[in-house]
Amino acid sequence: QVQLVESGGGLVQAGDSLRLSCVASGRTFSNYAMGWFRQAPGKEREFVAAINWGGGTTSYANSVKGRFTISRDNAKNTVYLQMNSLKPEDTAVYYCAVDKRWGGSSPTVHIYEYDYWGQGTQVTVSS
């Protein structure tokens, strides 16, 4: 059974940084692309960033490009999201997810391509 556990969220001020972590188990982690999504109150879950199996290819939402960095450590079955220059509009619950396509050669922005999700970690950015 696949399990994803996120951590690293919290309450910060605008301009601060946070690093989220997501530890995966139950699937050969290095065979799959991974993604981060977020959901603010009253809004749909939206794509934030994704990374291919080896970490050499990444994709970002325009709203976070240049501020957020996704990375992974396959030896630790962990994917990270480094978030810098945080803004109040980044406030949301952040979820990591596993791309269901074996091979993981290309990261995808499409939520329907992800089949396992973590429980989420809250990020709150005050102005």
Side-chain angles (χ1 to χ4, degrees), residues 72-93:
R72 66 190 294 163
D73 185 339
N74 287 340
K76 295 182 179 179
N77 286 356
T78 303
V79 62
Y80 304 98
L81 185 67
Q82 177 67 44
M83 305 186 294
N84 298 331
S85 302
L86 282 161
K87 304 176 181 180
E89 50 263 43
D90 294 319
T91 295
V93 177

mmCIF file with all atom_site columns, all heavy atoms in Angstrom, residues 72-93:
data_model
loop_
_atom_site.group_PDB
_atom_site.id
_atom_site.type_symbol
_atom_site.label_atom_id
_atom_site.label_alt_id
_atom_site.label_comp_id
_atom_site.label_asym_id
_atom_site.label_entity_id
_atom_site.label_seq_id
_atom_site.pdbx_PDB_ins_code
_atom_site.Cartn_x
_atom_site.Cartn_y
_atom_site.Cartn_z
_atom_site.occupancy
_atom_site.B_iso_or_equiv
_atom_site.pdbx_formal_charge
_atom_site.auth_seq_id
_atom_site.auth_comp_id
_atom_site.auth_asym_id
_atom_site.auth_atom_id
_atom_site.pdbx_PDB_model_num
ATOM 1   N N   . ARG A 1 72 ? 14.166 15.940 -5.317 1.00 0.00 ? 72 ARG A N   1
ATOM 2   C CA  . ARG A 1 72 ? 13.894 14.618 -4.748 1.00 0.00 ? 72 ARG A CA  1
ATOM 3   C C   . ARG A 1 72 ? 15.203 13.929 -4.397 1.00 0.00 ? 72 ARG A C   1
ATOM 4   O O   . ARG A 1 72 ? 16.249 14.185 -5.003 1.00 0.00 ? 72 ARG A O   1
ATOM 5   C CB  . ARG A 1 72 ? 13.072 13.775 -5.702 1.00 0.00 ? 72 ARG A CB  1
ATOM 6   C CG  . ARG A 1 72 ? 13.758 13.387 -6.983 1.00 0.00 ? 72 ARG A CG  1
ATOM 7   C CD  . ARG A 1 72 ? 12.772 12.760 -7.971 1.00 0.00 ? 72 ARG A CD  1
ATOM 8   N NE  . ARG A 1 72 ? 12.252 11.484 -7.484 1.00 0.00 ? 72 ARG A NE  1
ATOM 9   C CZ  . ARG A 1 72 ? 11.161 10.901 -7.977 1.00 0.00 ? 72 ARG A CZ  1
ATOM 10  N NH1 . ARG A 1 72 ? 10.474 11.494 -8.951 1.00 0.00 ? 72 ARG A NH1 1
ATOM 11  N NH2 . ARG A 1 72 ? 10.762 9.721  -7.509 1.00 0.00 ? 72 ARG A NH2 1
ATOM 12  N N   . ASP A 1 73 ? 15.111 13.034 -3.417 1.00 0.00 ? 73 ASP A N   1
ATOM 13  C CA  . ASP A 1 73 ? 16.219 12.176 -3.018 1.00 0.00 ? 73 ASP A CA  1
ATOM 14  C C   . ASP A 1 73 ? 15.689 10.750 -3.047 1.00 0.00 ? 73 ASP A C   1
ATOM 15  O O   . ASP A 1 73 ? 14.986 10.316 -2.128 1.00 0.00 ? 73 ASP A O   1
ATOM 16  C CB  . ASP A 1 73 ? 16.701 12.568 -1.622 1.00 0.00 ? 73 ASP A CB  1
ATOM 17  C CG  . ASP A 1 73 ? 17.928 11.790 -1.186 1.00 0.00 ? 73 ASP A CG  1
ATOM 18  O OD1 . ASP A 1 73 ? 18.193 10.711 -1.733 1.00 0.00 ? 73 ASP A OD1 1
ATOM 19  O OD2 . ASP A 1 73 ? 18.614 12.263 -0.278 1.00 0.00 ? 73 ASP A OD2 1
ATOM 20  N N   . ASN A 1 74 ? 15.994 10.027 -4.110 1.00 0.00 ? 74 ASN A N   1
ATOM 21  C CA  . ASN A 1 74 ? 15.454 8.679  -4.272 1.00 0.00 ? 74 ASN A CA  1
ATOM 22  C C   . ASN A 1 74 ? 15.997 7.709  -3.225 1.00 0.00 ? 74 ASN A C   1
ATOM 23  O O   . ASN A 1 74 ? 15.330 6.729  -2.888 1.00 0.00 ? 74 ASN A O   1
ATOM 24  C CB  . ASN A 1 74 ? 15.727 8.167  -5.677 1.00 0.00 ? 74 ASN A CB  1
ATOM 25  C CG  . ASN A 1 74 ? 14.858 8.851  -6.716 1.00 0.00 ? 74 ASN A CG  1
ATOM 26  O OD1 . ASN A 1 74 ? 13.821 9.431  -6.396 1.00 0.00 ? 74 ASN A OD1 1
ATOM 27  N ND2 . ASN A 1 74 ? 15.282 8.807  -7.969 1.00 0.00 ? 74 ASN A ND2 1
ATOM 28  N N   . ALA A 1 75 ? 17.173 7.977  -2.714 1.00 0.00 ? 75 ALA A N   1
ATOM 29  C CA  . ALA A 1 75 ? 17.725 7.110  -1.669 1.00 0.00 ? 75 ALA A CA  1
ATOM 30  C C   . ALA A 1 75 ? 16.922 7.216  -0.381 1.00 0.00 ? 75 ALA A C   1
ATOM 31  O O   . ALA A 1 75 ? 16.903 6.272  0.424  1.00 0.00 ? 75 ALA A O   1
ATOM 32  C CB  . ALA A 1 75 ? 19.182 7.474  -1.407 1.00 0.00 ? 75 ALA A CB  1
ATOM 33  N N   . LYS A 1 76 ? 16.257 8.351  -0.200 1.00 0.00 ? 76 LYS A N   1
ATOM 34  C CA  . LYS A 1 76 ? 15.449 8.575  1.011  1.00 0.00 ? 76 LYS A CA  1
ATOM 35  C C   . LYS A 1 76 ? 13.950 8.509  0.712  1.00 0.00 ? 76 LYS A C   1
ATOM 36  O O   . LYS A 1 76 ? 13.145 8.782  1.605  1.00 0.00 ? 76 LYS A O   1
ATOM 37  C CB  . LYS A 1 76 ? 15.786 9.943  1.616  1.00 0.00 ? 76 LYS A CB  1
ATOM 38  C CG  . LYS A 1 76 ? 17.216 10.054 2.128  1.00 0.00 ? 76 LYS A CG  1
ATOM 39  C CD  . LYS A 1 76 ? 17.466 11.420 2.750  1.00 0.00 ? 76 LYS A CD  1
ATOM 40  C CE  . LYS A 1 76 ? 18.884 11.520 3.289  1.00 0.00 ? 76 LYS A CE  1
ATOM 41  N NZ  . LYS A 1 76 ? 19.154 12.861 3.889  1.00 0.00 ? 76 LYS A NZ  1
ATOM 42  N N   . ASN A 1 77 ? 13.593 8.178  -0.528 1.00 0.00 ? 77 ASN A N   1
ATOM 43  C CA  . ASN A 1 77 ? 12.177 8.122  -0.922 1.00 0.00 ? 77 ASN A CA  1
ATOM 44  C C   . ASN A 1 77 ? 11.447 9.419  -0.567 1.00 0.00 ? 77 ASN A C   1
ATOM 45  O O   . ASN A 1 77 ? 10.299 9.406  -0.095 1.00 0.00 ? 77 ASN A O   1
ATOM 46  C CB  . ASN A 1 77 ? 11.467 6.942  -0.261 1.00 0.00 ? 77 ASN A CB  1
ATOM 47  C CG  . ASN A 1 77 ? 11.844 5.618  -0.864 1.00 0.00 ? 77 ASN A CG  1
ATOM 48  O OD1 . ASN A 1 77 ? 12.590 5.566  -1.846 1.00 0.00 ? 77 ASN A OD1 1
ATOM 49  N ND2 . ASN A 1 77 ? 11.347 4.543  -0.303 1.00 0.00 ? 77 ASN A ND2 1
ATOM 50  N N   . THR A 1 78 ? 12.102 10.538 -0.795 1.00 0.00 ? 78 THR A N   1
ATOM 51  C CA  . THR A 1 78 ? 11.577 11.823 -0.350 1.00 0.00 ? 78 THR A CA  1
ATOM 52  C C   . THR A 1 78 ? 11.588 12.834 -1.478 1.00 0.00 ? 78 THR A C   1
ATOM 53  O O   . THR A 1 78 ? 12.560 12.925 -2.237 1.00 0.00 ? 78 THR A O   1
ATOM 54  C CB  . THR A 1 78 ? 12.393 12.352 0.842  1.00 0.00 ? 78 THR A CB  1
ATOM 55  O OG1 . THR A 1 78 ? 12.364 11.381 1.896  1.00 0.00 ? 78 THR A OG1 1
ATOM 56  C CG2 . THR A 1 78 ? 11.810 13.661 1.354  1.00 0.00 ? 78 THR A CG2 1
ATOM 57  N N   . VAL A 1 79 ? 10.518 13.595 -1.550 1.00 0.00 ? 79 VAL A N   1
ATOM 58  C CA  . VAL A 1 79 ? 10.445 14.734 -2.470 1.00 0.00 ? 79 VAL A CA  1
ATOM 59  C C   . VAL A 1 79 ? 10.276 15.992 -1.623 1.00 0.00 ? 79 VAL A C   1
ATOM 60  O O   . VAL A 1 79 ? 9.606  15.972 -0.585 1.00 0.00 ? 79 VAL A O   1
ATOM 61  C CB  . VAL A 1 79 ? 9.296  14.564 -3.489 1.00 0.00 ? 79 VAL A CB  1
ATOM 62  C CG1 . VAL A 1 79 ? 7.945  14.490 -2.813 1.00 0.00 ? 79 VAL A CG1 1
ATOM 63  C CG2 . VAL A 1 79 ? 9.328  15.678 -4.522 1.00 0.00 ? 79 VAL A CG2 1
ATOM 64  N N   . TYR A 1 80 ? 10.899 17.068 -2.077 1.00 0.00 ? 80 TYR A N   1
ATOM 65  C CA  . TYR A 1 80 ? 10.909 18.326 -1.323 1.00 0.00 ? 80 TYR A CA  1
ATOM 66  C C   . TYR A 1 80 ? 10.285 19.444 -2.137 1.00 0.00 ? 80 TYR A C   1
ATOM 67  O O   . TYR A 1 80 ? 10.271 19.405 -3.373 1.00 0.00 ? 80 TYR A O   1
ATOM 68  C CB  . TYR A 1 80 ? 12.342 18.722 -0.968 1.00 0.00 ? 80 TYR A CB  1
ATOM 69  C CG  . TYR A 1 80 ? 13.114 17.682 -0.208 1.00 0.00 ? 80 TYR A CG  1
ATOM 70  C CD1 . TYR A 1 80 ? 13.998 16.828 -0.877 1.00 0.00 ? 80 TYR A CD1 1
ATOM 71  C CD2 . TYR A 1 80 ? 12.987 17.548 1.168  1.00 0.00 ? 80 TYR A CD2 1
ATOM 72  C CE1 . TYR A 1 80 ? 14.721 15.865 -0.196 1.00 0.00 ? 80 TYR A CE1 1
ATOM 73  C CE2 . TYR A 1 80 ? 13.704 16.588 1.861  1.00 0.00 ? 80 TYR A CE2 1
ATOM 74  C CZ  . TYR A 1 80 ? 14.564 15.751 1.179  1.00 0.00 ? 80 TYR A CZ  1
ATOM 75  O OH  . TYR A 1 80 ? 15.276 14.800 1.870  1.00 0.00 ? 80 TYR A OH  1
ATOM 76  N N   . LEU A 1 81 ? 9.794  20.444 -1.435 1.00 0.00 ? 81 LEU A N   1
ATOM 77  C CA  . LEU A 1 81 ? 9.361  21.679 -2.075 1.00 0.00 ? 81 LEU A CA  1
ATOM 78  C C   . LEU A 1 81 ? 9.929  22.832 -1.257 1.00 0.00 ? 81 LEU A C   1
ATOM 79  O O   . LEU A 1 81 ? 9.473  23.096 -0.143 1.00 0.00 ? 81 LEU A O   1
ATOM 80  C CB  . LEU A 1 81 ? 7.831  21.777 -2.144 1.00 0.00 ? 81 LEU A CB  1
ATOM 81  C CG  . LEU A 1 81 ? 7.310  22.982 -2.912 1.00 0.00 ? 81 LEU A CG  1
ATOM 82  C CD1 . LEU A 1 81 ? 7.656  22.843 -4.408 1.00 0.00 ? 81 LEU A CD1 1
ATOM 83  C CD2 . LEU A 1 81 ? 5.800  23.132 -2.745 1.00 0.00 ? 81 LEU A CD2 1
ATOM 84  N N   . GLN A 1 82 ? 10.954 23.457 -1.802 1.00 0.00 ? 82 GLN A N   1
ATOM 85  C CA  . GLN A 1 82 ? 11.536 24.642 -1.166 1.00 0.00 ? 82 GLN A CA  1
ATOM 86  C C   . GLN A 1 82 ? 10.740 25.858 -1.626 1.00 0.00 ? 82 GLN A C   1
ATOM 87  O O   . GLN A 1 82 ? 10.646 26.126 -2.823 1.00 0.00 ? 82 GLN A O   1
ATOM 88  C CB  . GLN A 1 82 ? 13.007 24.789 -1.563 1.00 0.00 ? 82 GLN A CB  1
ATOM 89  C CG  . GLN A 1 82 ? 13.678 26.028 -1.002 1.00 0.00 ? 82 GLN A CG  1
ATOM 90  C CD  . GLN A 1 82 ? 13.823 25.996 0.502  1.00 0.00 ? 82 GLN A CD  1
ATOM 91  O OE1 . GLN A 1 82 ? 14.200 24.987 1.068  1.00 0.00 ? 82 GLN A OE1 1
ATOM 92  N NE2 . GLN A 1 82 ? 13.518 27.109 1.157  1.00 0.00 ? 82 GLN A NE2 1
ATOM 93  N N   . MET A 1 83 ? 10.196 26.581 -0.685 1.00 0.00 ? 83 MET A N   1
ATOM 94  C CA  . MET A 1 83 ? 9.341  27.725 -0.985 1.00 0.00 ? 83 MET A CA  1
ATOM 95  C C   . MET A 1 83 ? 9.988  28.983 -0.421 1.00 0.00 ? 83 MET A C   1
ATOM 96  O O   . MET A 1 83 ? 10.138 29.110 0.800  1.00 0.00 ? 83 MET A O   1
ATOM 97  C CB  . MET A 1 83 ? 7.957  27.519 -0.381 1.00 0.00 ? 83 MET A CB  1
ATOM 98  C CG  . MET A 1 83 ? 7.296  26.210 -0.804 1.00 0.00 ? 83 MET A CG  1
ATOM 99  S SD  . MET A 1 83 ? 5.590  26.062 -0.231 1.00 0.00 ? 83 MET A SD  1
ATOM 100 C CE  . MET A 1 83 ? 5.851  25.994 1.527  1.00 0.00 ? 83 MET A CE  1
ATOM 101 N N   . ASN A 1 84 ? 10.376 29.880 -1.296 1.00 0.00 ? 84 ASN A N   1
ATOM 102 C CA  . ASN A 1 84 ? 10.995 31.151 -0.907 1.00 0.00 ? 84 ASN A CA  1
ATOM 103 C C   . ASN A 1 84 ? 10.081 32.317 -1.259 1.00 0.00 ? 84 ASN A C   1
ATOM 104 O O   . ASN A 1 84 ? 9.166  32.178 -2.071 1.00 0.00 ? 84 ASN A O   1
ATOM 105 C CB  . ASN A 1 84 ? 12.339 31.315 -1.612 1.00 0.00 ? 84 ASN A CB  1
ATOM 106 C CG  . ASN A 1 84 ? 13.335 30.239 -1.248 1.00 0.00 ? 84 ASN A CG  1
ATOM 107 O OD1 . ASN A 1 84 ? 13.311 29.686 -0.141 1.00 0.00 ? 84 ASN A OD1 1
ATOM 108 N ND2 . ASN A 1 84 ? 14.244 29.933 -2.172 1.00 0.00 ? 84 ASN A ND2 1
ATOM 109 N N   . SER A 1 85 ? 10.342 33.445 -0.651 1.00 0.00 ? 85 SER A N   1
ATOM 110 C CA  . SER A 1 85 ? 9.583  34.675 -0.928 1.00 0.00 ? 85 SER A CA  1
ATOM 111 C C   . SER A 1 85 ? 8.083  34.402 -0.865 1.00 0.00 ? 85 SER A C   1
ATOM 112 O O   . SER A 1 85 ? 7.333  34.775 -1.782 1.00 0.00 ? 85 SER A O   1
ATOM 113 C CB  . SER A 1 85 ? 9.966  35.236 -2.304 1.00 0.00 ? 85 SER A CB  1
ATOM 114 O OG  . SER A 1 85 ? 11.344 35.509 -2.366 1.00 0.00 ? 85 SER A OG  1
ATOM 115 N N   . LEU A 1 86 ? 7.674  33.781 0.202  1.00 0.00 ? 86 LEU A N   1
ATOM 116 C CA  . LEU A 1 86 ? 6.269  33.397 0.327  1.00 0.00 ? 86 LEU A CA  1
ATOM 117 C C   . LEU A 1 86 ? 5.357  34.617 0.376  1.00 0.00 ? 86 LEU A C   1
ATOM 118 O O   . LEU A 1 86 ? 5.718  35.672 0.915  1.00 0.00 ? 86 LEU A O   1
ATOM 119 C CB  . LEU A 1 86 ? 6.075  32.531 1.560  1.00 0.00 ? 86 LEU A CB  1
ATOM 120 C CG  . LEU A 1 86 ? 6.522  31.070 1.380  1.00 0.00 ? 86 LEU A CG  1
ATOM 121 C CD1 . LEU A 1 86 ? 6.735  30.385 2.718  1.00 0.00 ? 86 LEU A CD1 1
ATOM 122 C CD2 . LEU A 1 86 ? 5.500  30.313 0.548  1.00 0.00 ? 86 LEU A CD2 1
ATOM 123 N N   . LYS A 1 87 ? 4.167  34.442 -0.201 1.00 0.00 ? 87 LYS A N   1
ATOM 124 C CA  . LYS A 1 87 ? 3.163  35.500 -0.255 1.00 0.00 ? 87 LYS A CA  1
ATOM 125 C C   . LYS A 1 87 ? 1.888  35.012 0.435  1.00 0.00 ? 87 LYS A C   1
ATOM 126 O O   . LYS A 1 87 ? 1.651  33.800 0.515  1.00 0.00 ? 87 LYS A O   1
ATOM 127 C CB  . LYS A 1 87 ? 2.842  35.823 -1.719 1.00 0.00 ? 87 LYS A CB  1
ATOM 128 C CG  . LYS A 1 87 ? 4.036  36.211 -2.565 1.00 0.00 ? 87 LYS A CG  1
ATOM 129 C CD  . LYS A 1 87 ? 3.627  36.403 -4.018 1.00 0.00 ? 87 LYS A CD  1
ATOM 130 C CE  . LYS A 1 87 ? 4.822  36.770 -4.881 1.00 0.00 ? 87 LYS A CE  1
ATOM 131 N NZ  . LYS A 1 87 ? 4.425  36.960 -6.308 1.00 0.00 ? 87 LYS A NZ  1
ATOM 132 N N   . PRO A 1 88 ? 1.051  35.923 0.892  1.00 0.00 ? 88 PRO A N   1
ATOM 133 C CA  . PRO A 1 88 ? -0.211 35.509 1.521  1.00 0.00 ? 88 PRO A CA  1
ATOM 134 C C   . PRO A 1 88 ? -1.045 34.611 0.608  1.00 0.00 ? 88 PRO A C   1
ATOM 135 O O   . PRO A 1 88 ? -1.730 33.697 1.100  1.00 0.00 ? 88 PRO A O   1
ATOM 136 C CB  . PRO A 1 88 ? -0.908 36.835 1.811  1.00 0.00 ? 88 PRO A CB  1
ATOM 137 C CG  . PRO A 1 88 ? 0.220  37.799 2.019  1.00 0.00 ? 88 PRO A CG  1
ATOM 138 C CD  . PRO A 1 88 ? 1.271  37.388 1.030  1.00 0.00 ? 88 PRO A CD  1
ATOM 139 N N   . GLU A 1 89 ? -0.968 34.837 -0.694 1.00 0.00 ? 89 GLU A N   1
ATOM 140 C CA  . GLU A 1 89 ? -1.759 34.005 -1.622 1.00 0.00 ? 89 GLU A CA  1
ATOM 141 C C   . GLU A 1 89 ? -1.216 32.587 -1.756 1.00 0.00 ? 89 GLU A C   1
ATOM 142 O O   . GLU A 1 89 ? -1.838 31.753 -2.425 1.00 0.00 ? 89 GLU A O   1
ATOM 143 C CB  . GLU A 1 89 ? -1.851 34.673 -2.996 1.00 0.00 ? 89 GLU A CB  1
ATOM 144 C CG  . GLU A 1 89 ? -0.527 35.122 -3.572 1.00 0.00 ? 89 GLU A CG  1
ATOM 145 C CD  . GLU A 1 89 ? -0.241 36.599 -3.311 1.00 0.00 ? 89 GLU A CD  1
ATOM 146 O OE1 . GLU A 1 89 ? -0.486 37.069 -2.168 1.00 0.00 ? 89 GLU A OE1 1
ATOM 147 O OE2 . GLU A 1 89 ? 0.259  37.267 -4.248 1.00 0.00 ? 89 GLU A OE2 1
ATOM 148 N N   . ASP A 1 90 ? -0.073 32.282 -1.149 1.00 0.00 ? 90 ASP A N   1
ATOM 149 C CA  . ASP A 1 90 ? 0.434  30.914 -1.114 1.00 0.00 ? 90 ASP A CA  1
ATOM 150 C C   . ASP A 1 90 ? -0.209 30.107 0.009  1.00 0.00 ? 90 ASP A C   1
ATOM 151 O O   . ASP A 1 90 ? 0.025  28.893 0.110  1.00 0.00 ? 90 ASP A O   1
ATOM 152 C CB  . ASP A 1 90 ? 1.955  30.908 -0.916 1.00 0.00 ? 90 ASP A CB  1
ATOM 153 C CG  . ASP A 1 90 ? 2.700  31.507 -2.089 1.00 0.00 ? 90 ASP A CG  1
ATOM 154 O OD1 . ASP A 1 90 ? 2.326  31.245 -3.247 1.00 0.00 ? 90 ASP A OD1 1
ATOM 155 O OD2 . ASP A 1 90 ? 3.676  32.259 -1.834 1.00 0.00 ? 90 ASP A OD2 1
ATOM 156 N N   . THR A 1 91 ? -1.005 30.749 0.841  1.00 0.00 ? 91 THR A N   1
ATOM 157 C CA  . THR A 1 91 ? -1.674 30.058 1.933  1.00 0.00 ? 91 THR A CA  1
ATOM 158 C C   . THR A 1 91 ? -2.598 28.979 1.399  1.00 0.00 ? 91 THR A C   1
ATOM 159 O O   . THR A 1 91 ? -3.464 29.240 0.568  1.00 0.00 ? 91 THR A O   1
ATOM 160 C CB  . THR A 1 91 ? -2.473 31.058 2.787  1.00 0.00 ? 91 THR A CB  1
ATOM 161 O OG1 . THR A 1 91 ? -1.558 31.962 3.415  1.00 0.00 ? 91 THR A OG1 1
ATOM 162 C CG2 . THR A 1 91 ? -3.291 30.331 3.847  1.00 0.00 ? 91 THR A CG2 1
ATOM 163 N N   . ALA A 1 92 ? -2.390 27.746 1.868  1.00 0.00 ? 92 ALA A N   1
ATOM 164 C CA  . ALA A 1 92 ? -3.160 26.601 1.378  1.00 0.00 ? 92 ALA A CA  1
ATOM 165 C C   . ALA A 1 92 ? -2.708 25.347 2.123  1.00 0.00 ? 92 ALA A C   1
ATOM 166 O O   . ALA A 1 92 ? -1.697 25.372 2.833  1.00 0.00 ? 92 ALA A O   1
ATOM 167 C CB  . ALA A 1 92 ? -2.953 26.406 -0.114 1.00 0.00 ? 92 ALA A CB  1
ATOM 168 N N   . VAL A 1 93 ? -3.448 24.278 1.915  1.00 0.00 ? 93 VAL A N   1
ATOM 169 C CA  . VAL A 1 93 ? -2.968 22.953 2.308  1.00 0.00 ? 93 VAL A CA  1
ATOM 170 C C   . VAL A 1 93 ? -2.197 22.399 1.120  1.00 0.00 ? 93 VAL A C   1
ATOM 171 O O   . VAL A 1 93 ? -2.701 22.394 -0.005 1.00 0.00 ? 93 VAL A O   1
ATOM 172 C CB  . VAL A 1 93 ? -4.120 22.013 2.690  1.00 0.00 ? 93 VAL A CB  1
ATOM 173 C CG1 . VAL A 1 93 ? -3.580 20.627 3.030  1.00 0.00 ? 93 VAL A CG1 1
ATOM 174 C CG2 . VAL A 1 93 ? -4.910 22.586 3.870  1.00 0.00 ? 93 VAL A CG2 1
#
